[in-house]
Amino acid sequence: MNPVETGRGLAVVTGASTGIGYELAKCAAQDGYDLVIAADEPQIQDAAAKLREFGGKVEAMQADLATPDGVRRFVAGIIALGRPVDLLMANAGRGLGHGFLDEDIREAQRVVDTNISGTIALVHNLGNRMRARGQGRILFTGSIAGFMPGTFQAVYNGTKAFINSFSFALREELKDTGITVTCLMPGPTDTEFFERADLLDTQVGQSKKDDPAVVAKIGYDAMMDGEGDVVSGWKNKLMSAAANVTPAGMLAKQHRKMAEPGSANN
Ligand SMILES: NC(=O)c1ccc[n+]([C@@H]2O[C@H](COP(=O)([O-])OP(=O)(O)OC[C@H]3O[C@@H](n4cnc5c(N)ncnc54)[C@H](OP(=O)(O)O)[C@@H]3O)[C@@H](O)[C@H]2O)c1
């Protein structure tokens, strides 16, 4: 039964303070869902205030989802609401530019902890609750970056290869449970991602990017349609199709051109 028809459903969105996550939350709010949103910084409260303008309830939680404790606190906050989760959008993530050996290893590990460890911990907990109820939709924000070795962004691309792969595996495991699993795979999108990852002096950092509202709508619709994955934008579709038949060494060389520090000036 569609939760929107029986009263308001509940959508959980991580990384909803800015960018794609904020826009995913907006899609759900416009679609009649109440929201629980999370991010690491206090700005999540500003996002909540804007999202309340759509008329639903919005709970905002500041939680560091790169840590087991942050995930536990976030899940406890959701459970305390006493409502089942209808939609789970596991979107929180961060990038990191520069050569691997030149990166601060703690920052590199934080990329793994946010994009992978925190994500699977959250989905394991809420996914089990969905399975017990026999209903739910899960959306991961993967990336076309997961299709290519990410020279000068090596850890990040590795985490997105994990998410792209994990999403399809989980989808297959849950196919008879009433839960759908979808992976949104955006290309370069106009958010704070590139600045936060210190990629602004790179070719990809300076390239024309997709509108996060358009990207999020494509992902949201794919989730509601129960699709397995969606690559947003025809250019990104072409790129991902080409990546599937290009040797990894060549993809790594191509990625150098896009992401090498200073490549914006080449
Ligand atoms: N922009 C792109 O080109 C692009 C392309 C493909 C995929 N993606 C993916 O899209 C997702 C959203 O990124 P975006 O582009 O929208 O970038 P963004 O504007 O920087 O948003 C990232 C969101 O994740 C949150 N976040 C990061 N670390 C967190 C943590 N440890 N705990 C809780 N929240 C955390 C941020 O909140 P705080 O500010 O509070 O940390 C923010 O709300 C990411 O998974 C990213 O990998 C982006």
Side-chain angles (χ1 to χ4, degrees):
M1 194 181 297
N2 183 343
V4 180
E5 288 167 7
T6 57
R8 299 181 73 92
L10 187 66
V12 170
V13 189
T14 67
S17 57
T18 56
I20 297 169
Y22 173 76
E23 297 295 340
L24 284 169
K26 201 162 121 184
C27 289
Q30 286 172 328
D31 209 9
Y33 285 84
D34 291 331
L35 295 169
V36 185
I37 57 173
D40 189 24
E41 306 280 341
Q43 284 90 319
I44 192 66
Q45 299 296 346
D46 303 339
K50 286 194 272 171
L51 290 164
R52 284 189 192 107
E53 289 170 15
F54 295 98
K57 286 201 173 115
V58 182
E59 292 284 336
M61 296 188 203
Q62 194 184 336
D64 181 358
L65 299 176
T67 65
D69 188 53
V71 175
R72 258 194 304 273
R73 282 194 307 107
F74 183 47
V75 168
I78 296 166
I79 293 166
L81 296 175
R83 297 174 60 179
V85 174
D86 298 289
L87 312 179
L88 169 58
M89 292 171 252
N91 164 82
R94 59 179 65 239
L96 185 62
H98 295 276
F100 173 63
L101 295 183
D102 301 322
E103 291 169 354
D104 179 333
I105 189 62
R106 286 163 303 187
E107 282 187 44
Q109 278 164 340
R110 191 162 168 77
V111 173
V112 176
D113 292 342
T114 309
N115 300 6
I116 299 179
S117 306
T119 299
I120 63 167
L122 179 68
V123 170
H124 187 265
N125 191 306
L126 298 184
N128 264 301
R129 292 168 200 278
M130 284 179 171
R131 185 170 62 177
R133 187 176 164 228
Q135 157 175 359
R137 297 189 184 280
I138 299 173
L139 178 72
F140 290 96
T141 306
S143 175
I144 63 164
F147 294 126
M148 53 198 117
T151 313
F152 296 106
Q153 214 185 346
V155 172
Y156 175 74
N157 283 38
T159 65
K160 290 298 164 174
F162 177 98
I163 292 296
N164 293 354
S165 162
F166 180 79
S167 178
F168 263 105
L170 186 63
R171 176 182 173 81
E172 180 60 25
E173 288 180 18
L174 298 183
K175 72 180 162 70
D176 299 321
T177 63
I179 302 173
T180 62
V181 183
T182 303
C183 191
L184 165 62
M185 299 169 180
T189 306
D190 194 6
T191 69
E192 296 179 15
F193 175 91
F194 293 91
E195 189 180 347
R196 287 175 170 169
D198 199 12
L199 283 161
L200 288 182
D201 66 340
T202 64
Q203 203 185 86
V204 65
Q206 293 297 322
S207 66
K208 188 172 172 336
K209 300 187 181 63
D210 295 332
D211 178 344
V214 173
V215 170
K217 181 77 169 79
I218 289 168
Y220 184 83
D221 288 347
M223 171 183 66
M224 295 312 272
D225 290 344
E227 287 171 30
D229 67 338
V230 63
V231 175
S232 49
W234 64 268
K235 256 173 77 189
N236 299 323
K237 283 191 202 316
L238 276 181
M239 201 165 158
S240 56
N244 276 329
V245 292
T246 307
M250 201 174 284
L251 291 171
K253 257 193 213 330
Q254 287 170 3
H255 206 278
R256 167 187 286 274
K257 291 185 195 142
M258 291 194 282
E260 186 163 17
S263 56
N265 303 319
N266 296 344

